[in-house]
Amino acid sequence: MIWRKYHEFTKHSVESLRRTPHVLDWANMPDPFRHYEGVPVLDLPADPPLPEIPALEVLYGTSGVTPARDGPAFLSQLLFYSAAVSASKLVPSTGYRYALRVNPSSGNLHPTEFHFLTRGLMEWPDGLYHYRPSAHMAEQRALGGLEMTLPVSSAPIVFVLTSIAWREAWKYRDRAYRYCLHDMGHAWQALALAARAIGCDTFAIGQFPDDDVAQFCRLHDDEWPMLMVDVRGSSIPLREPDAGETVWYGGHANQLSKEKVPHPRIDEIHAATKLSKQAWRVSSPAEPAPTGSGEITLPLPASSRRTFGEVVRLRRSALDFTGGKQSMSLAQLSAILRAANQPFYADFAAARFIQLYLYAHRVDGLEPGVYRLWHERVELERIKSGDQRVAAAGLSLGQDLAGNACVAFSMIGDLDRAARVHGERGYRYVHFEAGAIGHRLYLAAEALGLGATGMGAFYDEQVHQYLNLTPERGQVVYHFAIGYPVCDSRLEG
Ligand SMILES: Cc1cc2nc3c(=O)[nH]c(=O)nc-3n(C[C@H](O)[C@H](O)[C@H](O)COP(=O)(O)O)c2cc1C
């Protein structure tokens, strides 16, 4: 199995970091914004209304409403709360200013691009579009009724989310493919939750023939389709779909950097996890996740009335947490875990692949220690006692924030089970799920007045040893931390 070889090769250890030091070539940093140039660009109305439903309600599965009465207003709202630029940072020493978006991204490099197909939206031409977050506009790559012959979907809006692996590889080299997959999981949840906040349901499709979808969308060859997301619901302002010929504009993809450094290991894992036209419908029946129980049941979740719109636009990754004595409540933790535990709607989500392990540092009513969350019963099982701050930071590649947080997490992915069910493709799905859980953790923490940070960097094998994980229990795929964020003076509105 190629995924196993790739995963082994990209594990961090003290030795691997020492063996392969890396100096960033800033002059060759890839542009985080893709443009398809030379196509009509359609405005999305500025300042779309804020979804006022409380963020926690959306995370728990309740749908909101939208005042949008036409396609442009609806798309503007959907994208503003799932993919748009939301803030910037200024580095005082250099005067360098850079954009931050509603979705987090490893190294803020943003490998994920949002393409979408529309059919029958009021006052919006049917066609294929690429979202331009730098200007909150849509590039019209094709006009007319496109016959999406592949994963047949009659949804009025279908997103095709793509990854540009080079953006991540520039900094993270071979390990970057993992981060592209996490990022995709975040983007998926950002989209699914924003859609729910304005009254829609979504369904994600991971099983599709990659090359055919790439060809259908006429993607530049540095962009790889990773996930398709159907959006439907009675809140979408609809009319009859356009009849007639499709007009292709296509456009020229901008060059992202002077030189694209090859990463054959990334090409290999990507090729191995692709599906062909013949194989894309084939999957074995889902194998249920192992079940268990813990001695700690969680109290009623803490409440928050902070709106979805406010939470999404203000979400940030904490640079570090304050440490010290200030703790979070068990009710807050209960709310966060409840959000993480809600079902996912995707063709690869019949059974969970991720189990959460918690390093509880400062949670009222929960003794410091390591706990395993049993997803079905929402119970915590203590597997280690005592102060975990040094261990959590050490395992997270020495990042202080994992020790200064109130609680840190290791997400343990059952990569073997995913491969039994989905073959090599399963490697993607485990990481999508990890990213998606991470996204819910970010939003739940923000809703409760806390901060959060996803961490793709950790010492893989040391985590397994520390948690006494046998290979059948899975492998660490993502780390996370939640606490009281320190102030970041570089942040602008
Ligand atoms: C998959 C993933 C991995 C990340 N890994 C780390 C990490 O190891 N350490 C860290 O400090 N931040 C990490 N981050 C946070 C990013 O640096 C942050 O999202 C990015 O700088 C953009 O900032 P924002 O989240 O405030 O928009 C990670 C984020 C993601 C999505």
Side-chain angles (χ1 to χ4, degrees):
M1 294 296 249
I2 305 285
W3 71 261
R4 200 185 294 285
K5 190 172 99 180
Y6 171 80
H7 199 71
E8 281 303 317
F9 186 84
T10 55
K11 285 181 175 170
H12 278 326
S13 65
V14 176
E15 214 284 308
S16 73
L17 294 178
R18 198 175 298 139
R19 198 175 53 228
T20 55
H22 183 44
V23 179
L24 291 178
D25 178 0
W26 289 101
N28 199 37
M29 180 181 170
D31 187 339
F33 295 109
R34 154 91 348 130
H35 305 300
Y36 280 89
E37 284 152 5
V39 301
V41 180
L42 274 62
D43 256 332
L44 294 166
D47 299 324
L50 184 123
E52 292 191 358
I53 178 170
L56 281 184
E57 283 186 23
V58 178
L59 284 161
Y60 297 162
T62 307
S63 286
V65 292
T66 176
R69 293 284 164 265
D70 57 39
F74 185 86
L75 289 169
S76 174
Q77 203 185 16
L78 180 60
L79 287 158
F80 198 68
Y81 293 97
S82 61
V85 168
S86 57
S88 59
K89 279 191 185 173
L90 174 71
V91 184
S93 55
T94 59
Y96 177 62
R97 180 175 274 119
Y98 56 95
L100 300 165
R101 306 190 200 179
V102 294
N103 33 18
S105 174
S106 22
N108 199 35
L109 296 165
H110 291 283
T112 307
E113 295 289 328
F114 286 61
H115 297 255
F116 57 98
L117 203 85
T118 66
R119 276 190 214 97
L121 264 57
M122 296 274 279
E123 292 168 45
W124 181 267
D126 291 3
L128 175 69
Y129 297 85
H130 169 247
Y131 179 54
R132 186 185 278 189
S134 56
H136 191 53
M137 287 174 151
E139 297 165 352
Q140 189 177 53
R141 303 196 55 235
L143 174 65
L146 282 105
E147 205 43 64
M148 185 67 161
T149 46
L150 305 161
V152 189
S153 163
S154 57
I157 309 174
V158 180
F159 278 84
V160 177
L161 304 180
T162 67
S163 265
I164 302 181
W166 160 237
R167 284 207 184 113
E168 288 289 312
W170 167 76
K171 181 168 183 186
Y172 299 110
R173 296 181 292 171
D174 289 323
R175 195 167 160 107
Y177 194 71
R178 298 190 188 194
Y179 300 163
C180 290
L181 302 179
H182 291 128
D183 247 87
M184 188 55 54
H186 279 279
W188 162 34
Q189 272 313 279
L191 188 56
L193 294 169
R196 187 184 291 158
I198 58 174
C200 292
D201 295 323
T202 56
F203 191 77
I205 301 154
Q207 294 282 119
F208 56 80
D210 297 61
D211 290 344
D212 301 78
V213 170
Q215 237 168 35
F216 174 83
C217 298
R218 302 195 189 181
L219 298 174
H220 187 262
D221 62 10
D222 64 4
E223 261 186 71
W224 299 337
M226 290 284 198
L227 200 58
M228 298 172 63
V229 182
D230 279 8
V231 183
R232 28 179 117 231
S234 55
S235 67
I236 305 176
L238 290 179
R239 55 165 171 78
E240 276 302 303
D242 293 336
E245 289 291 286
T246 307
V247 182
W248 268 98
Y249 304 115
H252 295 288
N254 60 333
Q255 190 178 338
L256 300 179
S257 54
K258 248 184 2 259
E259 182 200 359
K260 182 170 172 271
V261 178
H263 287 85
R265 283 200 177 81
I266 292 184
D267 294 339
E268 186 187 35
I269 177 72
H270 185 63
T273 58
K274 276 187 183 182
L275 296 176
S276 67
K277 212 172 194 157
Q278 289 71 40
W280 69 275
R281 290 174 192 276
V282 184
S283 254
S284 306
E287 271 182 49
T291 50
S293 61
E295 62 280 18
I296 299 162
T297 49
L298 290 160
L300 280 178
S303 62
S304 152
R305 301 298 302 164
R306 288 190 79 193
T307 66
F308 181 80
E310 186 189 359
V311 163
V312 165
R313 298 288 304 176
L314 293 178
R315 180 214 64 79
R316 288 274 66 85
S317 294
L319 286 187
D320 198 354
F321 299 98
T322 54
K325 287 200 167 17
Q326 195 180 9
S327 55
M328 67 188 280
S329 68
L330 195 54
Q332 284 177 314
L333 182 64
S334 171
I336 288 166
L337 295 179
R338 180 172 170 196
N341 240 358
Q342 297 301 312
F344 289 114
Y345 300 100
D347 61 357
F348 52 86
R352 289 270 178 147
F353 294 119
I354 299 288
Q355 185 166 32
L356 292 180
Y357 282 63
L358 287 72
Y359 305 82
H361 304 320
R362 298 188 320 281
V363 182
D364 297 335
L366 194 62
E367 276 178 39
V370 178
Y371 297 84
R372 175 159 56 203
L373 174 70
W374 287 104
H375 162 73
E376 284 199 332
R377 305 166 70 122
V378 203
E379 289 173 353
L380 292 173
E381 175 192 0
R382 186 160 66 205
I383 58 169
K384 263 181 201 288
S385 299
D387 191 339
Q388 302 298 321
R389 288 175 294 183
V390 172
L395 294 171
S396 307
L397 223 77
Q399 300 187 81
D400 291 345
L401 73 171
N404 289 331
C406 293
V407 58
F409 298 82
S410 285
M411 296 192 201
I412 304 302
D414 197 339
L415 295 166
D416 282 289
R417 179 159 50 89
R420 283 197 298 277
V421 180
H422 297 290
E424 301 269 12
R425 186 75 150 201
Y427 191 70
R428 295 189 189 181
Y429 300 155
V430 176
H431 289 81
F432 291 167
E433 187 182 320
I437 291 173
H439 204 72
R440 290 175 177 182
L441 295 178
Y442 264 114
L443 296 188
E446 182 71 41
L448 293 161
L450 298 160
T453 303
M455 287 177 286
F458 42 79
Y459 290 120
D460 300 69
E461 283 306 336
Q462 277 165 272
V463 174
H464 302 156
Q465 280 157 22
Y466 192 72
L467 298 178
N468 287 323
L469 288 179
T470 52
E472 321 77 77
R473 280 231 173 256
Q475 306 204 40
V476 57
V477 293
Y478 198 16
H479 267 196
F480 211 86
I482 294 178
Y484 293 95
V486 297
C487 164
D488 185 351
S489 58
R490 297 170 308 169
L491 193 60
E492 304 180 308

